[in-house]
Amino acid sequence: MNRQFLILERAQHCGRVGVEDLAQVLGVSPHTIRRDINALCEQGKLRRLHGGAEFIEQSANLPYSARSLLNVPAKKKIAAQVARLIPEGATLFFSIGTTPAIVAAALAERSGLTVITGNLNAAMALSDAPEARIILPGGELRLPDRDILGPHVLEVFQRYRADFAVYGVGGIDADGSLLDFNETEVRMRETMRSNARQSILVADVSKFGRHAAAVGGHLRDADHVIIDARPGPRFHPLLDGLENTPTIAEDLT
């Protein structure tokens, strides 16, 4: 159920959720929310609290099918802004994740792109782009996310120099550290960034304060930080202190 995915994503971001608040946000009855929370507790994803539930820290991200439905308008705003930066004929790295895939789709009419990625969704989004060249690493396809991780991916990124690296992130900590759900994702992202002439971090506002276990890289490492909206007040000093002032796509539409 998409509603349960939304409840879980909100709990992962906030740490805990309340029945009455969720009922108001999702436009359903408190009874329906309690039923959804009970189901998520039975699956071991939430822990029941008085009046709500708390997120149980896990080593895995939400399922791709759930993430692909979350914050789509925000991700499309980000993608439209990234598209303004990419000229025809550019060579691009794309990381795994839903936002980079949406960025790829926004470039589908751009001509002569060379794309190196382990993100099959991004590759397919650009498969009909005029005169596109798409390079995929070998290895096992991770399902249902439809991406490729592992040493072969790192080797491919090390063998190319891209004009732009477009990468997402699992979460952004209060000190600006970038978080992901396993070390391999971090290594792939950092290799991609270091082998690109310009790096573009794409993150919707829900990633600020979202928890994930593996840490690597920082907001300040990116040449461009493109977000859909300004995050909460506790992140304002962090963003204001960046030399590469973030581009807020919301302000440009």
Side-chain angles (χ1 to χ4, degrees):
M1 293 176 61
N2 295 342
R3 189 175 59 247
Q4 290 185 11
F5 290 149
L6 290 170
I7 291 170
L8 190 59
E9 196 275 340
R10 191 177 181 89
Q12 186 175 29
H13 183 253
C14 300
R16 59 179 61 195
V17 289
V19 170
E20 297 298 331
D21 177 59
L22 286 171
Q24 183 175 3
V25 169
L26 298 178
V28 296
S29 69
H31 174 72
T32 298
I33 295 298
R34 290 189 189 96
R35 189 173 59 210
D36 288 336
I37 285 177
N38 287 337
L40 290 167
C41 289
E42 289 174 3
Q43 297 168 32
K45 296 175 180 177
L46 296 180
R47 183 182 296 110
R48 204 74 168 84
L49 297 174
H50 179 69
E54 65 179 354
F55 183 72
I56 297 175
E57 289 290 343
Q58 300 172 344
S59 60
N61 200 354
L62 295 177
Y64 189 91
S65 58
R67 289 183 283 125
S68 66
L69 299 172
L70 295 172
N71 305 319
V72 172
K75 294 173 183 178
K76 287 185 175 179
K77 287 181 181 179
I78 291 169
Q81 178 57 25
V82 175
R84 299 180 188 185
L85 300 174
I86 309 299
E88 294 194 345
T91 298
L92 303 165
F93 291 147
F94 282 98
S95 78
I96 64 174
T98 58
T99 306
I102 291 175
V103 172
L107 297 171
E109 296 183 3
R110 204 60 48 90
S111 177
L113 298 179
T114 297
V115 175
I116 302 104
T117 185
N119 185 336
L120 189 59
N121 295 291
M124 292 304 297
L126 286 164
S127 60
D128 289 328
E131 301 179 23
R133 180 186 181 210
I134 298 176
I135 299 166
L136 297 172
E140 182 176 352
L141 189 66
R142 184 173 66 164
L143 297 171
D145 288 13
R146 297 190 287 272
D147 55 46
I148 305 168
L149 292 175
H152 296 300
V153 183
L154 292 176
E155 290 172 8
V156 168
F157 287 133
Q158 288 167 350
R159 292 201 302 266
Y160 288 89
R161 177 62 53 86
D163 298 309
F164 299 91
V166 179
Y167 60 94
V169 67
I172 301 171
D173 217 339
D175 64 354
S177 296
L178 303 184
L179 309 175
D180 272 301
F181 288 87
N182 63 64
E183 184 182 357
T184 303
E185 293 178 14
V186 171
R187 291 175 62 199
M188 183 185 70
R189 169 167 49 76
E190 287 299 287
T191 300
M192 182 186 310
R193 182 187 59 78
S194 64
N195 271 26
R197 295 181 178 89
Q198 294 190 58
S199 56
I200 305 173
L201 170 61
V202 292
D204 68 80
V205 73
S206 72
K207 299 298 177 67
F208 287 86
R210 188 170 183 236
H211 296 167
V215 60
H218 193 277
L219 273 179
R220 63 172 171 263
D221 297 334
D223 297 302
H224 304 273
V225 177
I226 300 182
I227 56 181
D228 61 302
R230 197 166 175 84
R234 75 185 181 111
F235 288 98
H236 290 181
L238 171 65
L239 296 184
D240 293 342
L242 292 179
E243 292 183 7
N244 50 341
T245 304
T247 297
I248 302 176
E250 176 178 75
D251 297 342
L252 302 170
T253 56

